[in-house]
Amino acid sequence: MKVDGKDLRPIWLNQDPEIVNVIDQRFLPHEFIVADLETVNQVITAIKEMYVRGAPLIGVTGAYGVYIAAVSAPGGLVTDDHMTAECDRLKAARPTAVNLSWGVDRVLERMLNENSDSARVDAALDEARIIEEEEAENCRQIGLHGLPLIQEISKKKNNEPVNILTHCNAGWLACIEYGTATAPMYTAFDNNIDIHVWVDETRPLNQGSRLTAWELGKHGIKHTVIADNTGGHLMQHGMVDMVIVGTDRTTHTGDVANKIGTYLKALAAKDNNIPFYVALPSSTFDWVLKDGMDIPIEERNPDEIRYVQGLDQNRTTNVLVPPADSPAGNYAFDVTPARLVTGFITERGTCKASEKDIMALFPEKL
Ligand code: MRU
């Protein structure tokens, strides 16, 4: 996507092809810092500490991580044992987004078909690049399939602004291009539909106010940052026309794991008859788990709750909010049951949140 006129993705291969670069998203929007990843440990840290985050980007970073494991293999020996052990470590970096193991396993499988060390390195890089491009295209398609949903509301409202609420950051920073939840917004905006986005700030790490607001602003999309608990009130007063969120893992039965707080938005949307859509590429479906309650929910460092980050005198700073000795609990995701989801927007089109409808869209997964 363009930022200040420049094409930008959240991950790219450095001019030195043994280094992968990522935007260190921890410091956005106030500081733009690029990190070098040249060891598997650095890739793991980048995923764990959320320099990179968002399910599709975690998947692509994991895919490049396999390449890093190959290209930095001790003595240049890209053995099965080395690769399998490094891939296990990569996959353990974050538990909820299913894209991570999907991306890592796909690159591993492709490269292990090769016999020589150098062919393995080349295959790993090639597959990581293919995944990156596929995910960019998937998001573009999600935008095209989501467009009619926004168009229809716009028509019903006689071209008055369509108010869309979103939670967390499921934008291009979380993917490669366009985003998932934001793809229909970008596509609608580019097609001259008047939209306005309610951006949940998304405590504790504020991916909404830091990242989604930044992205939308750079594209010229009208938006308003709101405290996480505001959505229900807006819905009761007719100020939200639809909700679109992303997901870290969605079971093939339609249960949706996404950033903590998503479930409460879905409940409020249901109570107010507001369509609640989840946008995702097929890499985010879990084709094995049937029950969303079985999705592993990441618990993160309580300090992310206790401290708030912001700009102070031109420096990004953390400040303590609760009493220093109060314990905090940091559950990173929750699960919205399929019954609260109006539909999915995928690269193959839209469907209802039921096993039958999902499998009809992806019959090869049966
Ligand atoms: O903890 P994060 O920032 O990785 O969580 C991200 C989300 O919850 C996103 O909504 C989800 O990954 C979808 S990204 C297209």
Side-chain angles (χ1 to χ4, degrees):
M1 303 290 281
K2 289 223 183 303
V3 175
D4 303 331
K6 265 179 60 184
D7 279 322
L8 202 57
R9 285 184 171 182
I11 189 166
W12 63 94
L13 196 66
N14 189 283
Q15 279 180 339
D16 173 347
E18 298 194 5
I19 300 176
V20 171
N21 283 128
V22 295
I23 301 175
D24 187 342
Q25 300 187 21
R26 295 172 304 166
F27 299 101
L28 284 175
H30 304 300
E31 293 178 63
F32 187 87
I33 292 175
V34 173
D36 285 349
L37 309 181
E38 46 191 321
T39 66
V40 174
N41 281 346
Q42 287 171 340
V43 176
I44 291 171
T45 301
I47 295 172
K48 265 194 174 145
E49 301 301 325
M50 295 173 63
Y51 305 24
V52 292
R53 24 71 47 205
L57 179 59
I58 292 173
V60 173
T61 308
Y64 276 106
V66 183
Y67 161 66
I68 295 285
V71 80
S72 64
L77 300 173
V78 191
T79 62
D80 286 24
D81 283 353
H82 167 74
M83 289 309 303
T84 311
E86 291 300 75
C87 287
D88 284 349
R89 291 200 313 124
L90 282 166
K91 288 192 281 186
R94 284 190 86 187
T96 304
V98 73
N99 301 59
L100 180 56
S101 52
W102 171 86
V104 168
D105 285 340
R106 188 167 141 180
V107 178
L108 181 65
E109 197 182 315
R110 157 97 190 266
M111 67 171 300
L112 289 187
N113 283 329
E114 304 293 337
N115 291 321
S116 75
D117 294 321
S118 67
R120 286 184 162 190
V121 171
D122 292 347
L125 179 57
D126 187 52
E127 194 64 20
R129 282 183 154 145
I130 290 173
I131 291 176
E132 178 186 344
E133 293 311 319
E134 272 179 20
E135 290 296 59
E137 175 58 16
N138 286 341
C139 288
R140 197 178 72 83
Q141 291 296 334
I142 287 170
L144 295 176
H145 292 301
L147 174 64
L149 302 171
I150 300 178
Q151 260 165 342
E152 198 183 309
I153 296 173
S154 169
K155 219 191 247 168
K156 272 196 198 141
K157 291 185 75 175
N158 289 323
N159 303 324
E160 287 293 302
V162 178
N163 289 301
I164 307 170
L165 184 140
T166 193
H167 191 69
C168 197
N169 172 263
W172 65 263
L173 283 167
C175 304
I176 297 297
E177 302 271 5
Y178 313 102
T180 55
T182 55
M185 303 174 198
Y186 287 127
T187 313
F189 177 84
D190 293 346
N191 280 273
N192 299 316
I193 298 177
D194 195 356
I195 64 166
H196 165 261
V197 183
W198 296 110
V199 178
D200 281 352
E201 59 178 351
T202 320
R203 284 281 293 136
L205 294 180
N206 289 318
Q207 290 94 327
S209 55
R210 290 191 306 107
L211 307 177
T212 305
W214 183 74
E215 270 195 32
L216 294 176
K218 289 286 175 201
H219 204 80
I221 296 183
K222 285 184 285 185
H223 61 279
T224 306
V225 177
I226 49 174
D228 282 331
N229 296 324
T230 311
H233 167 77
L234 297 178
M235 291 182 200
Q236 285 175 322
H237 289 82
M239 294 162 79
V240 178
D241 296 304
M242 71 193 306
V243 179
I244 314 179
V245 296
T247 166
D248 285 83
R249 185 189 300 227
T250 287
T251 64
H252 60 287
T253 54
D255 296 338
V256 174
N258 192 45
K259 181 52 58 192
I260 194 80
T262 302
Y263 171 48
L264 295 179
K265 294 297 134 62
L267 283 171
K270 185 79 168 178
D271 194 45
N272 290 281
N273 263 323
I274 291 164
F276 182 95
Y277 286 99
V278 178
L280 73 165
S282 50
S283 52
T284 306
F285 277 112
D286 187 319
W287 303 106
V288 178
L289 287 187
K290 267 184 134 26
D291 186 344
M293 289 301 133
D294 293 335
I295 295 175
I297 298 296
E298 180 180 14
E299 288 180 45
R300 296 183 57 84
N301 188 335
D303 280 353
E304 292 178 353
I305 303 282
R306 300 170 67 238
Y307 289 83
V308 172
Q309 177 184 297
L311 193 67
D312 178 36
Q313 322 236 11
N314 284 331
R315 272 192 34 235
T316 303
T317 314
N318 286 310
V319 294
L320 177 67
V321 179
D325 55 358
S326 287
N330 190 1
Y331 301 89
F333 301 96
D334 61 24
V335 174
T336 299
R339 68 187 154 77
L340 299 178
V341 177
T342 307
F344 293 119
I345 312 170
T346 79
E347 73 267 25
R348 294 215 186 146
T350 53
C351 73
K352 291 205 180 109
S354 77
E355 182 169 4
K356 187 172 135 272
D357 292 79
I358 295 167
M359 296 322 284
L361 219 46
F362 296 96
E364 75 278 15
K365 301 290 182 191
L366 274 170

